Amino acid sequence: MNQLEVALEGIGVNRPFSVEAEQAVLGAAIIDPELISVIMEQVRPEYFYVKQNRLIFNEMQALFMLNTPTDFVTVVDAVVSAKVFSDENDAKVYLSQLADTVPSLSNIMYYAKILKDKYMIRTLMETATDIIRQTQDSADADMLLESAEQKIYALRQGKDSQSLKHISDAAAKSFDRLRKLSGKDKEKYKGIPTGFRFLDDKLGRMGRSDLVIIAARPGMGKTSFALNIASNIAGKQKLPVAIFSLEMSNEQLTERILSSQAGISSNTLRTGDIQIAEWDIITNAIGQIADYPIYMDDTPNITVSDMKAKIRRLNQDPETPDVGVVIVDYIQLMSTGRRNDNRVQEISEITRNLKIMAKELDVPIIALSQLSRSAEKGTGKDSRPQLSDLRDSGSIEQDADVVLFLYRDAYYNKDEDADQTMAECIIAKNRHGESGTIPLSWDGAHTRFYDVDFTHNG
C-alpha cells in the first residue's frame, strides 16, 4: 500500500474510477473504428484505472498511429502480440464483452468525460497528498505556495507530471500534432510569428516553449522591437500578450505602442505638443490599441515565481483566452527574491527559471537583456555584438533557444551622412535552425522597426 492509499484509507476515501466507462470507450472503438480519432482527441492512456484496459488502449493508440483500423480482429492480434492476455481465447472473450457492454455509440463523448473526471479526481488526491508531504519536509512558505500552485495549475492544464511517461505517449502526441499541422486549421498549430517576415522565415516562427533573448546596448531599440512584436501578435493574431516591464511604467509602454500605431512622434506624445489635426489620428489609434489583448505589469524587482502566478490567474479567467506570448523587459532588473551577492549566479538562476516557465506554460517568452560594454569595443563591423557580450552570465546563451542582437551602425558612426534608418537583427543562436542577419528599417521618431522592402531597392 503506497503513501496515498494509506492517507486515503485513514480518512475513508477510495480512489474513484468507472469500469463501465472504461469498457464503453474501448468497446466503442471496436464496434465503430471510425470513432477512434474522436476518442484519441479526448482520452489519454493514464485515464484508465484498470491496468488491463490501459494496456488495451495503448495497443489501440499504436494501431491508430499506423492508420490501422481498431476492429475486433486487429485489436485481438495486437493485444495478443503484446501479451496483454495469457492466450488468444482470453483476449477474444474479453474484447467481445467490451463490445457487448457499450450502451450507445452516440454517447461516446460522455463516457470519455467520465474517464477524464475520475482521473482528474484521482490525480488531485495524489497532488494533495504530495503537498501535505512537502509541508512536513520544508518550512519555506513561499516555496511551498509556489510548488502547490504549480501542481494545481499543471493539473488544470492537463499536464500531469507525477510519473515517467513511456515514449508511446509522446509519439501519439507528436502524431496528433503533425495531423493538425497538415490539416485545414494548420495555422492555429504552427509557431507564433513575430510579424517580421524575413525573421520568421529564418526562425520558422517562435516555438511555443522557446526562450527568446533580444539583446542590445541601451538606446539600440530593443524595447521598441519587443513592443512591435507584441503589437503584431496582439493586433493581427489576437493572441493575448503579457508584458512585464521592470524599467518603464505601463503608461510609458502604451505611449510607445501609440506612437508606432498612430505615426505620431514619441517626442510629441511625451511633451504634449499635439496639433489639432493630430487629435483625430491619436483618438483612432487609441481605440485600436485599447482592443489589443495586451496585459501589462510594471512591478519592480519582480521574480519569475510572481510572473508565473500572475499568468496562471489570467489564464484561469474564463473571459480571457490563455496568454500566447510573454515579454520581460529586462533580465538584469529581475530578482530571485533572495539575497545573493553573486550577481552572475543570480542571473543564471533567473534565465533557467524563465526557460522552465516557458516550458510549463507552453508559451514563447521574449526576454530582453543588456549587453556588456565590451560590445562597444570597436567601430564598424567590430562593434557588432557576439554571444560573449551577453551581460552577467553565460547561462543566458545556454538557456536560450534563440538569441537575437539588434545593431544599428549609425549608433556608433557619428558621421552626419550615416543612414539612421538602417538596422540589423542578428540571429546569433537558433536552436531550431540557422543563424544569420536580417536587415531592418528603423524609424526612431515613431519607435518602430520595419521589414526592408527589397522590391524597391535599386
Side-chain angles (χ1 to χ4, degrees), residues 223-287:
T223 299
S224 298
F225 189 56
L227 292 178
N228 293 164
I229 292 174
S231 296
N232 290 336
I233 292 170
K236 296 176 183 177
Q237 302 167 57
K238 306 304 180 186
L239 270 178
V241 179
I243 303 175
F244 295 93
S245 175
L246 292 88
E247 184 176 39
M248 302 172 66
S249 68
N250 292 342
E251 290 75 19
Q252 289 172 320
L253 291 176
T254 303
E255 286 183 9
R256 287 278 191 102
I257 296 173
L258 179 60
S259 174
S260 298
Q261 185 72 30
I264 305 292
S265 77
S266 55
N267 186 60
T268 296
L269 296 177
R270 191 165 50 250
T271 61
D273 188 18
I274 301 171
Q275 303 300 313
I276 294 176
E278 293 174 325
W279 276 110
D280 283 343
I281 299 173
I282 291 173
T283 301
N284 289 334
I286 286 178

Side-chain angles (χ1 to χ4, degrees), residues 166-183:
H166 190 270
I167 191 172
S168 60
D169 187 48
K173 291 178 181 177
S174 294
F175 183 79
D176 186 51
R177 184 182 68 85
L178 291 172
R179 279 199 314 120
K180 290 173 178 176
L181 278 174
S182 60

